[in-house]
Amino acid sequence: MMSNLFSIFDTSTSLMFNFNWFSSISNIILLPLMFWFFPSKMFFFFNMINMIMFNELKSILLNKFNILNSIFFLSMFFMILINNMMGLFPYIFTSSSHMIFSLSISLSMWLSLMIFMMLNNMNFMFSHMIPQSTPNILMPFMVLIETTSNIIRPSTLTIRLTANMIAGHLLLTLLSETAINPNLIISYLIILIQIMLLILEFSVSIIQSYVFTILSTLYLKETN
């Protein structure tokens, strides 16, 4: 019995160790490609997703596209995707539902882009804050607005991923608490709703990892 509704997001399994975080690195056992003599169906599935995302990144970045950028963003996409899907299995901790997971990714990436722009082309960085043909009287306000929107980028990426993963899991937890009902019809109806929500959560896991990666790619596109 849960003492708190949010206890499903508790990282502590004991007083000394937090074994729940091992779910973030244990997902590598799902992709033992080197142990297959012939490519498996899972390999073809991930290879298809890989090629789709590769072409997507190439179409967005255009002249800024290179193999190093694609490796970084594809790795980030698959890491978030697998962690999101791992949380759909029973008794597996959802690491992407914590801000420390997504904030460590978004903040480090945002800081690296900011430092890169400051060191290489600071004039372009500040001129980008004022759109073309902006009236002189609105320039101070545009700088303030663009600076604020630039600063909150890592937090918006973090909150978007975390909130979407928490919302679905909380809804499934609430329905599971009411599934124990003496009326069999109501219990079967709740189970059916849970199955539909689980399918929805599967699609949300893919969409959120895609949105996180694409937005990060668009932030890179603004650098010069």
Side-chain angles (χ1 to χ4, degrees):
M1 185 67 183
M2 291 188 304
S3 59
N4 189 345
L5 182 62
F6 290 91
S7 61
I8 59 174
F9 305 104
D10 188 10
T11 59
S12 300
T13 53
S14 65
L15 296 177
M16 297 180 62
F17 302 102
N18 295 332
F19 288 107
N20 277 331
W21 285 111
F22 280 118
S23 64
S24 300
I25 58 176
S26 63
N27 50 41
I28 59 175
I29 64 176
L30 296 176
L31 304 173
L33 302 181
M34 64 181 68
F35 300 108
W36 290 91
F37 188 74
F38 293 105
S40 62
K41 292 183 180 180
M42 183 180 293
F43 172 78
F44 286 114
F45 175 71
F46 278 98
N47 190 38
M48 180 184 66
I49 298 177
N50 189 21
M51 293 306 299
I52 293 174
M53 288 300 299
F54 183 83
N55 294 327
E56 190 76 18
L57 296 176
K58 191 173 182 179
S59 62
I60 293 175
L61 291 175
L62 295 177
N63 58 337
K64 293 184 176 65
F65 180 80
N66 57 61
I67 193 64
L68 296 179
N69 288 337
S70 62
I71 290 174
F72 172 77
F73 286 110
L74 287 174
S75 302
M76 182 175 65
F77 170 77
F78 280 110
M79 182 182 68
I80 298 174
L81 175 64
I82 295 176
N83 277 283
N84 290 347
M85 291 185 174
M86 288 281 287
L88 299 178
F89 292 94
Y91 306 107
I92 296 182
F93 175 67
T94 311
S95 56
S96 56
S97 64
H98 276 259
M99 293 189 68
I100 191 173
F101 176 85
S102 51
L103 186 62
S104 60
I105 300 174
S106 59
L107 187 60
S108 59
M109 182 191 61
W110 178 80
L111 280 176
S112 62
L113 290 178
M114 290 298 102
I115 294 173
F116 175 80
M117 291 178 66
M118 288 180 182
L119 294 178
N120 288 274
N121 199 340
M122 187 175 291
N123 293 328
F124 174 80
M125 177 181 176
F126 288 108
S127 63
H128 185 71
M129 295 181 179
I130 302 176
Q132 192 174 4
S133 303
T134 303
N136 294 332
I137 192 171
L138 295 178
M139 285 184 180
F141 299 100
M142 293 302 299
V143 170
L144 182 61
I145 293 172
E146 289 294 326
T147 303
T148 305
S149 65
N150 200 358
I151 292 174
I152 65 174
R153 280 178 176 179
S155 59
T156 54
L157 281 175
T158 302
I159 295 172
R160 181 183 291 107
L161 176 61
T162 304
N164 281 280
M165 297 310 298
I166 287 178
H169 285 70
L170 283 180
L171 192 55
L172 288 171
T173 305
L174 287 172
L175 287 174
S176 63
E177 289 291 312
T178 59
I180 305 174
N181 196 296
N183 193 338
L184 290 178
I185 298 178
I186 297 178
S187 298
Y188 290 152
L189 181 61
I190 293 175
I191 293 173
L192 179 62
I193 295 174
Q194 280 188 312
I195 294 174
M196 295 173 63
L197 283 175
L198 193 62
I199 297 173
L200 179 63
E201 278 296 295
F202 180 80
S203 60
V204 168
S205 300
I206 300 175
I207 292 171
Q208 289 306 314
S209 56
Y210 173 80
V211 169
F212 194 99
T213 307
I214 293 301
L215 288 178
S216 304
T217 308
L218 291 175
Y219 296 159
L220 175 64
K221 187 179 180 181
E222 293 181 1
T223 60
N224 190 15

